[in-house]
Amino acid sequence: MRDETTSSETSHPVRPNQVQPVSESPVADLQQEPSAALFDALYRAVQDAVLITGTSGKLVYMNPSAEVLTGYDRKQHSELHFQTLFPERSAAERSQTMLIRCDGHPCPVQLRQSSLNLQAQTLTLFSIRPVTDITETPLHEAHSVQLLLKHLMDHLPDNIYFKDIQSRFIMVNRAFCSHIGIEAAQVVGKTDADLFTKTHADQARNDEEQIISTGLPLVDIEEKETWADGHCTWVSTTKMPLKSPDGTVVGTFGISRDITAKKTMEQERAARKKAEKTTEAKTIFLANMSHEMRTPLSAIVGVGDLLVDTLLDAEQKDYVGTIESSSEALLDIVNSVLDLSKIEAGKLNLEAVPFNVRELIRKTMDVIKQPACSLKNTLYSEINESMPDLVRGDPVRLRQVLLNLLSNANKFTSGGSITLRVSAEQPDLQHVRLFFEVTDTGIGMEPEQIPRLFQPYEQADRSTTRNYGGTGLGLAICNKLVEQMGGQLSITSQKGIGTQIQFAILLECCANDTVIEKNAAEDQNRQHVLSRILLVEDNRVNREVIRRILKKLGYDADLAANGEEAVQAAQNQAYDLILMDVQMPVMDGLEATRIIKREHEKKNSCKPLIVGLSAHALKEHHEQAAEAGMDDYLTKPVRIRDLKQLFSRI
């Protein structure tokens, strides 16, 4: 039995066992077999792509030529619709239009359609022929413009996509496919919900509904794309309405650019700025705490200094010794915490001044002699002959490192030995590399304990704090200081044998020592005669303690409680030296210094030396004092030895 299919233009037999339907067709006649000879002749004769659709637009048949042209496999695309291939609404009514292939690429085609009546059902047959010569169609025709647009799209670095009214992708460019890592054939027909998380898909859908309802674009919006695997990317997107020739919104299209790298940089910059603000806040807090702690410490240390030189019995001397050692320990903690804060904030700047290395080592060893003697430890220092006398660097910080390493070695050694070895090599004429090694025969430690020593507030063993004391800041600070000097601490240790710590730093050579000697001689010639001294201090206790220290050193001093009183006193009396507290009520020491210096310049009179006294220890506070006109600066607590050194300098 054989059924005949009729068409308004042609009549073709169909053989389903040779040319299979895309999906099961409800049309029973397509299951009947035509004669093999007639089918073979027809198959050879028809070179155009042929599609047959039902009333819903769903494909029920495609021939092999159609498979080649569209790129779709009829067995794998059983739910294929005519609109997927021809997304333009009026495509079926036009002779020339654009076919969208499986890979998303457009193909200009000539399209002819006819109706098929089969068992009282109406099907539509489409005959499709590609336009192989672009000159066959003028450039002003829509499909040619679209072809040029597609070429442009695929060569732009931005992601470009088109969506229909249901937010399904109908066209994407190569950059978009590369961005999401999916072939165009797997994107067309899908929505954002198939590619991204629900949050992102919902936002995209809301944007598109807004564009469709208002007809207005969304320009340069930043979108966070959250992918199924959890990772996020960012794009800057412009979304616009897609309109038909009559102005009806039929979908949307968008252009987006990947800005993930930019957003990452912005986030890192924001995180860094936040961390810097946190560090800055911590530094300010610690500086203020240091100021508040140094103020009473100044009185304690000063009174201790005064008591030492009074007539005391043995018990009283022991009390004074306890006061001194306790205040020194507390001051050391304050200094250590402040140093670490300055290092972390990047505010600890090293000096570059000439100094005598051998003299620095000698003085450092002198400091540790008494503590070593109390623990029955023997001190040794070995300085290589190649060591230059003078170098340029930061002697204060180098001494701080050496003193900390030697103190640690002494603390963990009892009845043993501590050795400091120093040598040098000169890599070029301008620089010298100094090698330092501190070795002890103390308790030592296990190798796995060593890395913890460089972490702030950490010690090799928690029991160390109970048995030996300490904050765990010393080595962390030393390591940071040595790193700033261009070196690194290296530690080797054996439990029960001892510890060895080494580091090397690069300093500038300073061969011309005659210049330093000449400057020292000039400094001696510039010494001032201190016949009149003004002490300006708002804290009553500290004011009295410093006055008594000055008295002990042979100097009388007039007193002022704030900057305003100091200015008035300086107008009434010519002073050789003014010891000026920096932070005071009514008028601070900086403003008072500016006024006093300015008044003396107006009168062309001899200006007094003004030395700042402050519980602030940051370098920036020293710089502020210098900018205000202060000639020197002492950090509280002010000891007898500090004032002696000051008087020797001026």
Side-chain angles (χ1 to χ4, degrees):
M1 178 179 178
R2 181 172 62 191
D3 287 337
E4 294 290 335
T5 16
T6 60
S7 168
S8 59
E9 293 182 3
T10 58
S11 176
H12 301 290
V14 180
R15 188 178 182 183
N17 65 336
Q18 293 287 335
V19 183
Q20 300 176 11
V22 174
S23 62
E24 286 190 22
S25 170
V27 184
D29 288 334
L30 287 178
Q31 304 296 329
Q32 305 301 320
E33 292 190 9
S35 68
L38 180 59
F39 174 79
D40 290 340
L42 182 61
Y43 183 79
R44 286 191 300 270
V46 178
Q47 297 180 355
D48 289 349
V50 176
L51 303 176
I52 300 177
T53 66
T55 54
S56 66
K58 181 179 177 182
L59 269 66
V60 297
Y61 168 77
M62 62 163 43
N63 73 345
S65 295
E67 286 187 288
V68 174
L69 180 61
T70 65
Y72 285 98
D73 185 335
R74 51 194 171 158
K75 295 179 181 179
Q76 297 175 353
H77 296 80
S78 59
E79 299 300 320
L80 197 60
H81 285 255
F82 178 82
Q83 189 179 1
T84 304
L85 298 172
F86 299 95
E88 293 185 4
R89 296 178 67 183
S90 58
E93 302 170 3
R94 297 164 55 189
S95 62
Q96 294 181 348
T97 186
M98 190 69 67
L99 165 72
I100 304 302
R101 289 174 43 82
C102 176
D103 59 7
H105 287 75
C107 176
V109 296
Q110 293 179 339
L111 180 68
R112 291 183 300 168
Q113 76 174 73
S114 58
S115 296
L116 293 174
N117 296 316
L118 185 62
Q119 291 187 346
Q121 297 190 46
T122 301
L123 305 177
T124 304
L125 182 145
F126 294 94
S127 176
I128 308 166
R129 176 177 296 176
V131 177
T132 56
D133 186 355
I134 194 66
T135 61
E136 292 181 14
T137 306
L139 283 176
H140 69 268
E141 294 203 17
H143 70 271
S144 297
V145 175
Q146 289 177 358
L147 180 61
L148 294 175
L149 175 62
K150 182 62 180 176
H151 280 289
L152 177 63
M153 285 171 53
D154 281 342
H155 288 85
L156 285 174
D158 295 338
N159 310 324
I160 303 175
Y161 59 86
F162 293 83
K163 294 181 179 180
D164 62 18
I165 204 77
Q166 282 81 36
S167 291
R168 294 177 300 205
F169 289 98
I170 57 177
M171 185 187 298
V172 294
N173 72 340
R174 290 176 185 170
F176 183 91
C177 295
S178 175
H179 177 65
I180 66 173
I182 302 176
E183 294 294 330
Q186 298 174 286
V187 177
V188 173
K190 288 184 171 62
T191 66
D192 285 293
D194 300 312
L195 305 174
F196 302 99
T197 60
K198 184 178 185 303
T199 302
H200 174 71
D202 289 347
Q203 182 60 55
R205 180 64 176 164
N206 291 338
D207 290 346
E208 288 148 14
E209 287 178 350
Q210 178 184 335
I211 294 169
I212 292 169
S213 63
T214 64
L216 299 175
L218 297 175
V219 180
D220 288 337
I221 59 173
E222 290 188 352
E223 293 183 296
K224 182 180 181 181
E225 301 172 320
T226 306
W227 301 77
D229 62 1
H231 86 280
C232 298
T233 53
W234 287 84
V235 291
S236 176
T237 303
T238 294
K239 300 180 179 182
M240 305 185 71
L242 182 62
K243 298 181 179 180
S244 64
D246 63 3
T248 304
V249 177
V250 296
T252 60
F253 69 95
I255 303 174
S256 65
R257 175 168 296 178
D258 191 321
I259 59 170
T260 305
K262 174 188 171 186
K263 291 295 291 185
T264 301
M265 288 179 62
E266 289 176 354
Q267 290 168 352
E268 289 175 350
R269 192 181 301 116
R272 188 164 54 250
K273 193 171 183 179
K274 183 179 178 181
E276 288 171 354
K277 284 185 177 179
T278 301
T279 302
E280 178 71 16
K282 184 175 75 172
T283 301
I284 293 172
F285 169 76
L286 290 174
N288 290 335
M289 287 299 297
S290 169
H291 177 275
E292 295 304 315
M293 294 179 72
R294 285 173 187 275
T295 298
L297 266 176
S298 184
I300 296 171
V301 171
V303 169
D305 280 351
L306 291 170
L307 280 173
V308 166
D309 291 333
T310 61
L311 293 174
L312 302 172
D313 58 30
E315 185 178 6
Q316 291 170 331
K317 286 182 179 179
D318 186 56
Y319 292 157
V320 172
T322 301
I323 292 173
E324 285 191 318
S325 61
S326 298
S327 59
E328 288 291 340
L330 182 57
L331 186 60
D332 183 60
I333 293 172
V334 172
N335 289 337
S336 295
V337 172
L338 195 58
D339 276 347
L340 184 64
S341 175
K342 287 189 285 185
I343 291 170
E344 290 177 345
K347 292 188 174 182
L348 194 147
N349 299 315
L350 299 179
E351 291 185 326
V353 297
F355 67 95
N356 187 305
V357 183
R358 295 177 186 273
E359 186 67 14
L360 182 144
I361 294 170
R362 183 187 66 77
K363 289 182 178 179
T364 304
M365 295 297 284
D366 285 344
V367 173
I368 206 71
K369 275 182 181 178
Q370 183 57 42
C373 183
S374 64
L375 290 174
K376 299 181 180 179
N377 290 324
T378 305
L379 289 178
Y380 299 98
S381 62
E382 300 175 7
I383 303 176
N384 194 280
E385 293 181 358
S386 60
M387 173 67 61
D389 286 332
L390 293 172
V391 294
R392 188 180 298 274
D394 193 326
V396 174
R397 293 304 179 181
L398 177 57
R399 181 179 181 275
Q400 180 180 348
V401 171
L402 291 176
L403 192 56
N404 188 280
L405 297 183
L406 289 167
S407 297
N408 266 359
N410 184 64
K411 182 195 301 184
F412 298 110
T413 305
S414 181
S417 64
I418 299 160
T419 304
L420 171 62
R421 296 183 178 90
V422 188
S423 60
E425 67 174 20
Q426 197 165 347
D428 54 56
L429 295 176
Q430 288 77 37
H431 298 89
V432 59
R433 182 173 284 107
L434 303 184
F435 297 89
F436 297 89
E437 178 187 295
V438 176
T439 305
D440 66 63
T441 59
I443 61 174
M445 69 193 91
E446 300 292 349
E448 59 269 18
Q449 295 175 311
I450 293 175
R452 293 208 299 270
L453 297 176
F454 298 127
Q455 301 301 316
Y457 309 104
E458 288 282 349
Q459 293 187 328
D461 192 322
R462 290 183 179 180
S463 63
T464 298
T465 303
R466 294 194 302 269
N467 297 331
Y468 298 96
T471 60
L473 288 173
L475 279 178
I477 294 172
C478 286
N479 190 43
K480 294 290 186 183
L481 289 175
V482 170
E483 284 179 353
Q484 274 200 257
M485 296 179 194
Q488 183 148 8
L489 285 179
S490 170
I491 302 179
T492 57
S493 185
Q494 278 187 279
K495 191 75 171 177
I497 302 298
T499 301
Q500 182 184 82
I501 302 180
Q502 298 175 318
F503 69 93
I505 56 174
L506 189 67
L507 301 176
E508 294 180 26
C509 294
C510 188
N512 193 358
D513 55 353
T514 56
V515 174
I516 299 172
E517 292 172 357
K518 179 181 177 182
N519 290 339
E522 290 176 352
D523 289 341
Q524 291 291 330
N525 294 333
R526 287 199 301 266
Q527 284 190 345
H528 289 70
V529 177
L530 303 177
S531 58
R532 299 288 305 202
I533 297 177
L534 174 65
L535 171 61
V536 189
E537 167 66 67
D538 66 306
N539 185 281
R540 183 187 62 80
V541 176
N542 284 340
R543 187 168 62 243
E544 182 60 24
V545 169
I546 297 173
R547 186 192 70 78
R548 293 192 181 192
I549 291 175
L550 290 171
K551 185 72 174 176
K552 191 175 188 65
L553 295 174
Y555 300 97
D556 289 319
D558 294 339
L559 303 178
N562 56 61
E564 190 174 86
E565 291 182 9
V567 171
Q568 186 64 42
Q571 289 175 346
N572 298 331
Q573 176 68 50
Y575 290 102
D576 303 304
L577 172 65
I578 300 177
L579 297 176
M580 180 82 73
D581 188 19
V582 173
Q583 191 170 343
M584 294 181 293
V586 184
M587 180 186 292
D588 65 37
L590 300 179
E591 183 61 23
T593 298
R594 294 188 190 98
I595 294 173
I596 292 170
K597 293 278 187 176
R598 187 165 57 244
E599 290 298 321
H600 279 79
E601 286 176 357
K602 288 180 181 178
K603 297 176 182 178
N604 198 24
S605 58
C606 183
K607 291 181 287 187
L609 290 173
I610 301 180
V611 177
L613 306 177
S614 177
H616 284 303
L618 293 179
K619 183 179 179 63
E620 60 203 56
H621 297 129
H622 290 240
E623 292 171 348
Q624 290 170 2
E627 289 172 2
M630 290 184 173
D631 301 285
D632 210 327
Y633 191 92
L634 293 179
T635 301
K636 295 178 182 179
V638 179
R639 303 175 180 85
I640 291 179
R641 65 172 179 266
D642 296 330
L643 289 173
K644 284 181 177 179
Q645 291 172 359
L646 171 67
F647 295 149
S648 69
R649 289 198 300 270
I650 61 177

